[in-house]
Amino acid sequence: MSDLNALQRRIAEFDELARDSEPFDDFASGLMMSGLAQMRDDFASALDVATRPEMALVLDGPPVKGHEIRIDALSRVLSSLQEAVSSIAQAVTGKATARASLPEALRNATSLSVAGTFAGSFGVTLRGPVDEAVEAALQAGQDPLVEHVTETALDLAVAVVLDVMDLAGDGTVDDGPIIEVVLPLGGRAFKHLKELSDVVVDRNLIATLTWRSLGREARQSTMDKGAARRLN
């Protein structure tokens, strides 16, 4: 049994205990049940975090002072990153459009949420949604680390972003490999990748992305002003 299954089992045990418990009128018993409810919520939170893909974004440069960053710089990075990921996901799933709005289902499947910040220049933790296959495996009592073997649209899109960052910063003079990756993505994805590189150039930022997805090794890429200029 994996740690994920163990967490799910503990949550089920707390739920069963709550259903079978008689109402308590005394303070001590009520306090005990409140503590058990808090423990149940802690396990549920741990399971939620463990089953969701996570991106650590670290930014450095003039807009960063200590562990703070200017909102105008951060908002541009986050917005362009999210739009690039969603539009690339549309392209890699074979449904790219140039003008129509992105489908809501695709938006939901590729949405990144700010989960917190951390020290180290300026760092922000972003999390994606729980994959439906992972959720189904857990509900069926299966081990998602065994049953969940496919990459989601979000995984594929982030991998393309990291590929582009790696190619732009590899120090070679041949732009062919970058073009081969970016050209098939279409105009929408190209526009948002350019917006991402624009803010890195405009604000002289260094952006480092680390992507962790369930059951896979973490991957990290960095884009500085020189790499962003080349991408442009």
Side-chain angles (χ1 to χ4, degrees), residues 1-8 47 49-53 131 133-139 141-150 212-217:
M1 177 180 293
S2 73
D3 291 342
L4 299 179
N5 294 120
L7 285 171
Q8 187 184 41
L47 182 63
V49 171
T51 53
R52 294 170 65 186
D131 180 22
V134 172
E135 202 165 31
L138 284 171
Q139 291 176 353
Q142 300 170 339
D143 184 349
L145 296 177
V146 175
E147 302 295 332
H148 178 60
V149 295
T150 60
R212 298 178 179 87
S213 189
L214 185 64
R216 297 182 177 88
E217 292 185 6

Side-chain angles (χ1 to χ4, degrees), residues 31-58:
L31 188 62
M32 180 189 71
M33 292 305 297
S34 177
L36 290 175
Q38 182 60 58
M39 291 176 64
R40 189 266 183 209
D41 289 345
D42 290 343
F43 280 116
S45 296
L47 182 63
D48 179 68
V49 171
T51 53
R52 294 170 65 186
E54 182 176 290
M55 177 185 291
L57 168 63
V58 177

Side-chain angles (χ1 to χ4, degrees), residues 9-206:
R9 187 180 66 178
R10 294 304 301 275
I11 293 168
E13 290 171 351
F14 281 116
D15 289 340
E16 184 177 359
L17 180 62
R19 286 193 303 268
D20 296 341
S21 298
E22 297 292 334
F24 292 104
D25 294 328
D26 62 287
F27 176 78
S29 297
L31 188 62
M32 180 189 71
M33 292 305 297
S34 177
L36 290 175
Q38 182 60 58
M39 291 176 64
R40 189 266 183 209
D41 289 345
D42 290 343
F43 280 116
S45 296
L47 182 63
D48 179 68
V49 171
T51 53
R52 294 170 65 186
E54 182 176 290
M55 177 185 291
L57 168 63
V58 177
L59 298 171
D60 202 357
V64 179
K65 302 296 182 184
H67 301 310
E68 300 179 359
I69 187 171
R70 289 182 49 159
I71 290 178
D72 54 353
L74 178 62
S75 63
R76 282 184 64 189
V77 171
L78 293 180
S79 176
S80 58
L81 176 61
Q82 176 66 81
E83 293 303 317
V85 167
S86 295
S87 57
I88 291 171
Q90 188 187 39
V92 298
T93 55
K95 302 175 182 178
T97 57
R99 296 179 180 273
S101 299
L102 291 173
E104 183 178 359
L106 182 68
R107 282 278 187 197
N108 293 337
T110 58
S111 63
L112 296 168
S113 301
V114 175
T117 60
F118 56 90
S121 298
F122 178 83
V124 58
T125 299
L126 308 172
R127 292 199 181 102
V130 178
D131 180 22
E132 291 180 356
V134 172
E135 202 165 31
L138 284 171
Q139 291 176 353
Q142 300 170 339
D143 184 349
L145 296 177
V146 175
E147 302 295 332
H148 178 60
V149 295
T150 60
E151 287 185 302
T152 65
L154 179 57
D155 288 323
L156 295 171
V158 172
V160 171
V161 173
L162 296 173
D163 287 343
V164 170
M165 291 173 62
D166 285 344
L167 290 169
D170 67 5
T172 65
V173 295
D174 181 11
D175 292 335
I178 302 177
I179 296 171
E180 289 179 6
V181 173
V182 174
L183 194 60
L185 301 176
R188 188 199 299 269
F190 179 82
K191 172 179 178 290
H192 294 304
L193 282 171
K194 186 178 184 303
E195 289 173 350
L196 180 59
S197 61
D198 279 344
V199 64
V200 172
V201 172
D202 294 346
R203 300 307 178 92
N204 195 16
L205 290 169
I206 300 173

